[in-house]
Amino acid sequence: MDDALLLRPALELAAAVRQRDVSARELLDAAIARVERIDPQLNAVCTRAFESARLEAEAADRRTVRGDELPEFHGLPITVKDAIETAGIRSTGGAEELAGHVPSADAPAVAALRAAGAIVFAKTNVPAWSGDIQTFNSLFGTTRNPWDPERVPGGSSGGAAVAVACGLTAFELGTDIGGSVRVPSAFCGVFGHKPSYGLVPTLGYLDSAHGGSITEADVNVFGPIARSAADLAALLDVLAGPDPARAAAWRVELPRTPRPEGVRGLRVAAWLDDPALPVDPELVAVHAAAADALEAAGAVVDRTARPGFDLDRTWRLGSSLIGIATSVSESEASIARMRALLDDPATDPGTRFALGRLFRPHRDWLAADRARAEVRAVWARFFEDWDVLLCPVSIATAFPHQQEGGFGDRRTIVGGVERPYLELIAWASLIGSAYLPATSVPVGATAAGLPVGVQVVAPFLHDHRAIEVAGLLASLTRGYVVPPVAR
Amino acid sequence: METPLALLPAVEQLALVSRRTVTCRELVAAALERQQRLNPLVRAVCAGGADTAFAAAERADARRAAGDPGPLLGLPVTVKDSLDVAGLAGVAGSPALVGRVSPEDAPAVRAALDAGAVVVGKTNVPEFCADMQTSNPVYGLTANPWDVERTPGGASGGSAAAVAAGFSALDIAPDLGGSNTLSAAFCGVFAHRPTHGLVSTLGLLDPLLGPSPVESAVATVGLLARDPRDLRLGLDVLLGSPAQDPAGWRVRLPDHAPTSLRGLRVAVWDEDDVLVWEPSARVVFDRMVQAMRDAGATLLRETRPAIKLSAWLRLAVLHCVTATPAVADGVHLHEEVAALMGIPRTDGASALTLREWQQLQRALVTQRQRWIEVFDEADVLVCPAVPCTAFPHEFSGSLMSRRYQVGADRWDAGQVGGWVAATSATGLPVTTAPIGLAADGLPVGAQIVAPPFHDRLAIAVAGLVSAEVGGYRPPEFRGAT
C-alpha cells in the first residue's frame, strides 16, 4: 500500500479497511514504518507496543474476513497521549514517578476507542504531568514541531498533535485542562476538539504519582485530535457518555443543529484580539481572513460582539481554577519544599504567589466555583445571540524551545513584546474553565510557514456545532496541510 | 375509624383526585385545616400562605379539568426552608435573611410544581441547617409530633414533623449529611435520599451566599412521605430536574424492584464498636430483622463494608463541612483521616487546602468502593437510622460539645447521628422506613441502602419491610396542651 494513505482522515482509512482495500495489518505496518522513518526527527512517540498491536490487527482482519459487523474505526492504528492509561502499555504521564507504570486497565475513554475498533500501537510524549505547553521531559526528551524542529509542537498533547500531523496515527486522544488539545493542534496545523466538561470520562488520567485518576479533575477533559472535522464529530460520538460507574442511569444525547444551508445565516461573533490579551498581529490577520471567508460565504459576522465580562479578571479566574485542579500533581516532598520556600521571608513575591495556590484553603475554590457560575451564565446569554464564537487559541504560534525556568517565571516574545508565559494559554483557559466546547481548527499560516489555528466555541454541550463550523471554516481556508517532513 | 384525608398517602390522595372524588382544592384545604389546628403545637411549618396555596389548588383543578395528566396534580407538599419557592419566604432559619422572599424556584421545586404539586408551606430548619435538632432565632423551636417535649431531629425536623402530622403529603428537602434520615426516624415517617447527583441541588440556600448557582458535591435533594409509594412517585418527578445539564444528559433509573422479601439477600449491619444501641430501640430493630427472615429474606450477618467505621465517619464529617463555603473553615483533620487521604498532615486546626480536599475526594472514592462491594453479595444493606428514639430538646453548649439524654445515658452528636452520617457520605440511595415504636412509645427507623442508582430497589424494600412491621402511624401529640 501507499503509506500516504495514512495522511488521509480517519474515516477514509476506516472505509478503506471496511471495503478491504487495505487490511488492518497493512495499515499498522505502514504506520509503524512511518514512525520508524519520520519520528526520529521529531520524537513524538515515547513508547512502542508494536507486537501486541500486530496481534490485535491480525485478529481484526480475521473479523473482517469472517464478515462480522465492524465497528466505526475497525482496524485503525492509533497512538494515545501518554497522560492516559492504556492496559498493558507503559503509561508515564511524562513523569519519573511513573516511569515503570504499566496499567492493568484502559482508561474508560481508551476502552471506548478500542471498542470502536481502534488498535493502540504507541504512546505519545507529554511534559511531566501534562504541565506545560511545550513537550519535553526527563524520560523521553524533547518533541519537535514538524513545521520547524527548532520550535515547540505545543503541549501538553504535543506528541499527539505531531503524530496526527505527520500521519503516524489515524487519530489521537489528548487531554486539555488549559489548552492541551487546542494549543498543539493549532501549533501543528491539525483539528482538535475540547469537549464540554464532563462529556467524556477522564478517569485514568495521569496527573499525579498516585497513577490513574479515580476522580474527575475540574476543567480537565479528554478530546480527539484528527485531520478532519468529520473525524472529530465521529470520535466525539464514540467518546461521549457517562463513566462506567454512572452508566447504569445516565446517558448522553448531544444536541445536533444540522445546517443544511451550510454557512448561510450562521451568527458568528469574532473576538480576535483584545487590549487585555493582545494577540500577535500576524495571527490576528489570519484569523480575520477566516472570519471574512465565513462572511463571504453568507455568515453574519460581528467583530465587536463580546460576552460583556472583564476579560482580564475572567481569564485569571479560569487560570486560578486550573491551577487549583493541577495542584494534585506535586509530590509530598515537593510540597514540603515549597512550604519551606513560602515560609522563607527571602522568597520573592512572584514565587510566593505561584506557590500560594498549593496552600490556599478549599473554601477559596468554592468561592471561585461560584464566580465561575456567574461567568457561565454570561456565556449562556451571549450564545442566545450568537451560534458560535471565533477566538484565538493562543496569542502566538509555535515558539522556539524554551526549557529553562517554569510556567510561573518564563517570559515569551509575542509580536516583539515580552509577555508572561502564562498568557500563552489565557484564551484557552478562558474557554475551558467555563466548561465550553471548543474546536481548534487550522485556518492558515504565518509568513514563516507556521500553522495558525482558531477556536470555534459553542454553547455548553453544543459540541457538534463547534465541530461543524470548524469543518466549514477549514473548507473555506487552508485546513490541514501535510508538513514537508511527513511527505 | 376512617383515616382523615390529610393523613392519606400521597398516592391515595392523588387517586381520589383522579377519580374526581375530591378536588385539588379540597385536598389542599384538608392539609391547611390540619396545619391551622395542629401546627401551633409543633411549629413545623414556618412560612407559607393559605392564599397562595388555594390559588395554586384552583389552578391545579383547572389543569385537571383541561385534561392535564400532571403526576402530582393538586398534591399538598411542603418544602424545607433551605430550598427556594418563588414568592414565599426563604430564610433558612437565618436572622440575616428575615424578610427575604425567594425570587425563583429551585429546579427541584420547579419540577414538582410543573407536575402539579401545590406548596402549602415551608418547613423549619436550624440555623445553617447545622444541627440535629430544629430551632432558630427566626421561627423558634420545632417539636416532635409524637411528644412535643422532644426533638423532631434536624436539620429536616420541620419536614419530618410536617409530614408526620399530616400538614402535607410530601416534603421536598435537601439533605447534606443525613438530615432527612435522622428526622424521618425520629418522627416515624419514610424518607429517601437519592443517589448523589441524580436530582439538582441548584438553589440550595446558603444564609451567607444566597441560593447556590452550582451543584453540590455532597448534598442531595430528597423526599419525606408517609408511604414508600409516595417516595417512588416523588422521585420520578424530581428526576425531571437532573443534576446534569438537560441539554445533553438523560437519566433513567434501573427498574428492578422486588415484590417479595423471599430470597432477597439482605446484609444486616446492626452494631459497631463505635455505634451502640439504646436497648429498647434495638428491640424494635431486632423485631424487624426477624420479620424479614420470617418473610423469606436471606440475612447476611457478616456482610458489611470493609472499612473502619470510626475513620469513615471522620471522612464523612469532613466531606460535609467542606461542602459549604459558610462552614468550610476551621476543619479539624484527624490523623485517621489524614492517613486515609495519604497525607502526612496532622496539625488539624487550619482549614483544608485545595490539594488536601482533592486527596479527600480520592479517599472517599476508594472507601465508597468498599461499600459498593457489599452488593456483590447482598441486594441491599440494612442498618439502623438512629440507634435511639427522639430525645428531649437540648440546646446547652455547642452542637459538638452538647450531650443528649438517651435513656439513662448522655449521648454526643456522633452517637446519635453516626449511622446517618455513615450512609450519607456514600452517595448511595438510602430509604428510611419507620419500623415500630420502642417501649417509650416513640418511633424507630431503619435505613435501607442500595447500589448506586438502584433507588427504586431501596424504596421497594422499604415498602416490603413496612408491610411486615407496620409503616407510618399518626403521632399522638403527647405533652401538647
Side-chain angles (χ1 to χ4, degrees):
Chain A
M1 61 166 278
D2 176 1
D3 86 345
L5 181 62
L6 275 158
L7 292 163
R8 305 300 305 160
L11 288 172
E12 287 185 29
L13 299 182
V17 174
R18 198 172 297 112
Q19 292 155 16
R20 305 198 195 183
D21 296 339
V22 63
S23 71
R25 177 62 199 258
E26 287 168 330
L27 211 50
L28 174 66
D29 285 341
I32 290 172
R34 289 184 68 85
V35 168
E36 304 287 16
R37 176 164 65 85
I38 299 168
D39 196 54
Q41 306 156 69
L42 303 173
N43 195 30
V45 169
C46 60
T47 295
R48 291 157 167 76
F50 296 167
E51 279 318 302
S52 59
R54 285 189 177 108
L55 295 175
E56 287 174 48
E58 284 159 13
D61 285 331
R62 286 194 292 276
R63 293 181 60 189
T64 313
V65 170
R66 273 204 306 271
D68 288 2
E69 180 104 2
L70 300 177
E72 188 161 16
F73 295 103
H74 176 69
L76 297 197
I78 65 163
T79 57
V80 171
K81 180 179 182 181
D82 206 31
I84 302 174
E85 289 200 310
T86 44
I89 305 175
R90 181 177 60 181
S91 305
T92 72
E96 289 173 9
E97 289 90 330
L98 296 182
H101 179 56
V102 180
S104 56
D106 284 323
V110 172
L113 294 177
R114 288 207 211 245
I119 296 167
V120 181
F121 79 100
K123 300 297 289 287
T124 48
N125 206 22
V126 294
W129 306 133
S130 299
D132 203 344
I133 48 167
Q134 313 178 55
T135 299
F136 66 92
N137 60 52
S138 61
L139 293 177
F140 308 116
T142 303
T143 303
R144 296 172 180 283
N145 191 304
W147 292 92
D148 180 349
E150 296 311 311
R151 290 176 182 266
V152 303
S156 59
S157 312
V162 173
V164 171
C166 296
L168 311 183
T169 178
F171 58 82
E172 253 281 356
L173 179 64
T175 74
D176 187 324
I177 193 167
S180 282
V181 160
R182 291 163 288 164
V183 170
S185 295
F187 284 10
C188 294
V190 294
F191 297 79
H193 182 67
K194 184 217 89 72
S196 298
Y197 179 68
L199 191 52
V200 176
T202 61
L203 304 184
Y205 179 53
L206 296 167
D207 62 348
S208 82
H210 290 297
S213 62
I214 55 174
T215 58
E216 307 255 343
D218 184 32
V219 187
N220 192 41
V221 298
F222 286 9
I225 301 173
R227 286 179 293 273
S228 83
D231 283 359
L232 294 183
L235 286 164
L236 184 70
D237 285 338
V238 167
L239 290 166
D243 66 54
R246 294 186 309 161
W250 288 100
R251 69 200 152 84
V252 70
E253 280 173 18
L254 288 181
R256 291 193 180 257
T257 43
R259 301 198 136 270
E261 70 275 41
V263 183
R264 191 152 301 282
L266 188 74
R267 301 170 303 166
V268 179
W271 188 8
L272 305 181
D273 199 4
D274 197 285
L277 263 181
V279 178
D280 184 334
E282 194 177 4
L283 264 74
V284 176
V286 176
H287 293 158
D292 291 347
L294 274 180
E295 191 171 52
V300 177
V301 178
D302 188 310
R303 293 167 183 80
T304 58
R306 301 290 180 264
F309 46 61
D310 179 320
L311 175 59
D312 188 64
R313 218 174 49 205
T314 307
W315 84 257
R316 286 182 197 281
L317 169 69
S319 186
S320 164
L321 284 162
I322 292 163
I324 290 165
T326 52
S327 67
V328 289
S329 299
E330 306 295 341
S331 68
E332 289 304 339
S334 78
I335 288 287
R337 273 197 308 276
M338 287 187 268
R339 169 67 87 179
L341 257 180
L342 203 61
D343 292 343
D344 182 351
T347 303
D348 70 276
T351 308
R352 200 182 290 281
F353 177 81
L355 296 180
R357 72 185 168 101
L358 297 172
F359 304 103
R360 281 165 58 193
H362 170 61
R363 179 171 37 78
D364 285 10
W365 183 85
L366 294 170
D369 191 31
R370 283 175 177 252
R372 175 195 11 229
E374 285 170 31
V375 172
R376 295 187 67 200
V378 172
W379 279 117
R381 284 195 297 277
F382 180 74
F383 283 117
E384 286 170 10
D385 295 332
W386 306 104
D387 294 319
V388 292
L389 166 74
L390 293 192
C391 74
V393 177
S394 177
I395 56 173
T397 51
F399 50 88
H401 299 287
Q402 185 187 351
Q403 303 190 351
E404 295 75 38
F407 225 110
D409 55 13
R410 284 188 202 133
R411 315 284 293 178
T412 189
I413 307 292
V414 177
V417 179
E418 194 181 83
R419 307 273 294 274
Y421 191 77
L422 186 64
E423 292 188 7
L424 287 165
I425 60 165
W427 286 96
S429 302
L430 174 78
I431 302 301
S433 63
Y435 296 164
L436 297 171
T439 308
S440 178
V441 49
V443 292
T446 63
L450 296 172
V452 174
V454 71
Q455 287 190 88
V456 181
V457 185
F460 188 59
L461 293 178
H462 287 267
D463 292 60
H464 279 296
R465 187 191 297 169
I467 294 171
E468 186 188 355
V469 173
L472 294 168
L473 254 181
S475 69
L476 296 169
T477 60
R478 172 170 135 126
Y480 165 69
V481 172
V482 181
V485 67
R487 279 173 200 149
Chain B
M1 194 180 79
E2 200 183 332
T3 306
L5 183 57
L7 286 180
L8 287 177
V11 288
E12 293 178 21
Q13 294 192 21
L14 289 165
L16 293 175
V17 168
S18 65
R19 286 203 299 271
R20 304 191 179 245
T21 309
V22 300
T23 63
C24 299
R25 195 177 202 286
E26 285 164 339
L27 274 193
V28 167
L32 289 172
E33 182 279 325
R34 262 191 93 83
Q35 263 186 47
Q36 192 174 21
R37 191 155 49 83
L38 298 171
N39 191 52
L41 305 180
V42 291
R43 297 164 305 276
V45 173
C46 60
D51 293 350
T52 58
F54 278 124
E58 278 155 19
R59 284 196 300 277
D61 275 320
R63 279 174 68 176
R64 186 187 60 159
D68 185 329
L72 300 184
L73 211 49
L75 191 74
V77 303
T78 43
V79 177
K80 186 175 170 180
D81 201 31
S82 54
L83 205 58
D84 274 352
V85 178
L88 297 187
V91 171
S94 174
L97 298 184
V98 170
R100 175 179 179 271
V101 175
S102 301
E104 51 189 307
D105 297 316
V109 170
R110 186 76 254 157
L113 294 177
D114 288 347
V118 174
V119 177
V120 293
K122 299 296 293 292
T123 43
N124 204 24
V125 296
E127 196 174 0
F128 292 107
C129 290
D131 201 343
M132 49 179 60
Q133 307 179 77
T134 298
S135 179
N136 63 60
V138 182
Y139 296 121
L141 176 73
T142 299
N144 190 315
W146 285 86
D147 178 344
V148 299
E149 297 305 319
R150 291 172 186 268
T151 185
S156 308
S159 300
V163 169
F167 301 160
S168 68
L170 195 65
D171 187 275
I172 301 169
D175 180 339
L176 193 69
S179 292
N180 291 355
T181 307
L182 187 140
S183 310
F186 276 1
C187 293
V189 297
F190 293 86
H192 184 68
R193 180 181 165 102
T195 304
H196 180 260
L198 275 183
V199 177
S200 177
T201 58
L202 293 180
L204 188 54
L205 188 57
D206 182 304
L208 302 181
L209 301 170
S212 177
V214 293
E215 293 289 350
S216 169
V218 185
T220 61
V221 172
L223 296 157
L224 296 94
R226 290 183 296 272
D227 190 299
R229 292 172 296 171
D230 302 349
L231 296 178
R232 178 172 168 137
L233 174 66
L235 179 65
D236 285 347
V237 167
L238 292 192
L239 290 180
S241 67
Q244 304 257 10
D245 193 301
W249 288 100
R250 307 272 182 277
V251 68
R252 188 169 55 202
L253 294 186
D255 201 6
H256 97 85
T259 53
S260 153
L261 289 173
R262 188 154 299 283
L264 192 77
R265 299 166 306 159
V266 180
V268 179
W269 187 12
D270 57 357
E271 200 161 28
D272 192 277
D273 291 347
V274 296
L275 288 177
V276 298
W277 276 100
E278 187 282 305
S280 77
R282 176 173 200 141
V283 169
V284 180
F285 189 84
D286 287 347
R287 211 156 54 211
M288 176 207 67
V289 171
Q290 185 59 43
M292 291 180 83
R293 192 214 306 271
D294 293 346
T298 303
L299 303 183
L300 306 169
R301 292 262 181 196
E302 305 300 322
T303 302
R304 61 188 55 179
I307 57 168
K308 188 176 179 206
L309 189 58
S310 59
W312 171 253
L313 286 171
R314 291 197 172 95
L315 268 189
V317 169
L318 202 55
H319 182 49
C320 274
V321 294
T322 57
T324 322
V327 291
D329 245 341
V331 175
H332 180 82
L333 185 57
H334 190 275
E335 66 184 291
E336 217 167 38
V337 171
L340 280 176
M341 287 162 57
I343 58 176
R345 177 179 187 269
T346 55
D347 53 340
S350 60
L352 269 196
T353 68
L354 294 157
R355 175 185 154 80
E356 286 169 337
W357 180 77
Q358 292 177 55
Q359 282 161 311
L360 169 65
Q361 299 310 304
R362 198 178 165 88
L364 280 166
V365 168
T366 308
Q367 295 281 298
R368 279 174 184 152
Q369 198 52 40
R370 304 285 91 79
W371 283 79
I372 292 171
E373 284 160 6
V374 164
F375 304 112
D376 294 342
E377 295 172 26
D379 297 308
V380 292
L381 169 70
V382 172
C383 65
V386 188
C388 64
T389 55
F391 46 78
H393 301 293
E394 175 62 70
F395 289 99
S396 58
S398 72
L399 174 64
M400 294 321 287
S401 69
R402 201 174 283 156
R403 295 293 179 272
Y404 305 101
Q405 192 69 45
V406 173
D409 297 327
R410 308 284 289 175
W411 283 21
D412 65 20
Q415 288 172 283
V416 174
W419 286 108
V420 307
T423 58
S424 298
T426 63
L428 296 169
V430 179
T431 305
T432 310
I435 56 171
L437 304 182
D440 57 10
L442 297 171
V444 175
Q447 301 188 73
I448 295 126
V449 187
F453 305 112
H454 286 269
D455 295 66
R456 289 169 179 163
L457 172 62
I459 294 171
V461 172
L464 295 168
V465 168
S466 64
E468 298 298 327
V469 297
Y472 164 78
R473 46 200 111 189
E476 295 162 351
F477 293 91
R478 208 194 296 167
T481 49

